[in-house]
Amino acid sequence: MANTENEGKKFLESVHQFFDHAASFSKLDPGILAQIKTCNSVYKVSFPVEIDGRVEVFEGIRVQHSHHKLPSKGGIRFSMQVDEDEVKALATLMTFKCAVVDVPFGGAKGGVKINPRTSSVKTLEKVTRRYAAELIKRNLIGPGMDVPAPDYGTGSREMAWIADTYQALKYGETNALGCVTGKPVGQGGIRGRAEATGLGIFYGIREAFSDTDLMKKAGLEGNTMEGKRIIVQGLGNVGYNAAHFCQQSGAVIIGIAEREGGIYNSNGIDVAEAFKHRSETGSILNFGQCKNFNNSAELLEEECDVLLPAALENQIHADNAARIKAKIIAEGANGPVTRDAEKILLEKGVIIIPDLYINAGGVTVSYFEWLKNLSNVRFGRMGKRAEEASHRRLVNAIESASGKSMSTHERSLLIQGSDEISLVRSGLEDTMINAYHEIRGVMNRKDMEDMRTAAFLSAIEKIGVSYEALGIFP
């Protein structure tokens, strides 16, 4: 346990170091900066749950880092490695992540010390509902207070249990479904949420590749993903979807690292088939013509254009940073690169696309889901047919003026109105593009060399404006 606590402490210290460095560029009052840095509240609870006729005690935690905007927002992770410092670090990152992409939430994070892989569904449901009840009793969850989401070890199933528990204890509350995001679509969720973080990573990497100055600095040619070699760590929801969308855009996935080991093929790996292989065999190893890496950490040190760590924090540290050969690191996970490692990597000229920007797709689409729950209507429901009717009149006018008829397929493509999934993806794409150029703008104005400092500073300035406008009460 000491080792886990030490990792959490190092993670929190790393986040604070990143913050302090960026804050040194700010002209905000030192007191405001101190308020922005600190966690506003920490709630820890031990609660009993009856499991197969015996009582077991579980530990839960919820950290609300910032109340400069409400509700606060952040995932709930189920893991035996959950500890206070780790959750504080993740909650802190959430605050800056939301600010970077202009999502009007404060940052939060939660966790329960439980192993989701060895616990039965019945046990997981009981623990999830009891944890939710503890938060509800303390008014630490709600559509206007704090809105959790899935994280490591949880998913849409757990979010549905939390939403149902909230509705049962807050019977008749109109906006009850907005108490949590990441729910199944049939239970108030939103289409496109499952792949949102991975798709956001794809949009962010694609935008970086279109940045001529950045690519020149990285020593890469071409402004597209075509032919770019990518190594992915973690084939979970985030890593799989990010790799999938990059592969669809012409990138070559040459390596996949997982807990049990890694696989490498310079000619490329079919991500969907590799995922299927792991699901069927329980291991990523021995897939096709790939070379096995029994120690997956060694795979991160192979030569590639983009290294995409999408697993856990502190994966690239002072001990292995010098051996990293990637030209770009896109932080799909939260905090995969430590402060000490970043110093080494930046000296080598490695471009790091920071977590508080590149993996913000999840919270962005969670924001869309929250808005959907508050409005109690599916996006596109009221406007899709009207939009199609307008497009149809335009197509008819073009055909009449030109004297030529379009094919059925062409008409269908031009006439189609926007449904929920297309609106969600459009909103996500626009968010990631705008945030990227905002960060690059800060880099240029402040003559900064790294994107992380610029992203932190951008977030700090936005949060500072909120605190200054709110004032200090009483």
Side-chain angles (χ1 to χ4, degrees), residues 43 46 61 63 73 108 174 195 250 282 321 327 339 356 366 369 376 443 446 457 464:
Y43 177 63
S46 295
I61 185 170
V63 173
K73 189 85 182 73
T174 307
E195 69 273 20
K327 296 179 175 67
R339 176 63 175 159
L356 67 161
S366 281
E369 180 179 335
N376 287 288
M443 289 179 71
K446 298 288 186 176
L457 182 59

Side-chain angles (χ1 to χ4, degrees), residues 190-205:
I190 194 167
R191 290 160 182 83
R193 175 62 183 87
E195 69 273 20
T197 306
L199 182 57
I201 290 169
F202 162 72
Y203 288 142
I205 295 175

Side-chain angles (χ1 to χ4, degrees), residues 423-442:
L423 288 169
V424 164
R425 290 186 172 182
S426 172
L428 174 58
E429 183 176 14
D430 184 63
T431 297
M432 297 303 292
I433 290 172
N434 288 341
Y436 180 86
H437 290 286
E438 202 169 75
I439 293 168
R440 290 290 280 135
V442 173

Side-chain angles (χ1 to χ4, degrees), residues 2 4 20 25 30 34 45 62 68 90 119-120 147 173 218 232 254 274-275 342 349 360 377 407 439 454 465:
T4 299
D20 290 339
F25 291 89
V45 62
R62 186 69 180 173
H68 75 285
L90 292 165
S119 302
S120 67
V147 181
E173 187 173 311
V232 182
I254 60 172
F275 183 84
E342 179 161 274
V377 64
S407 68
I439 293 168
V465 168

Side-chain angles (χ1 to χ4, degrees), residues 145-157:
M145 177 54 67
D146 189 358
V147 181
D151 197 85
Y152 184 79
T154 61
S156 60
R157 178 184 63 184

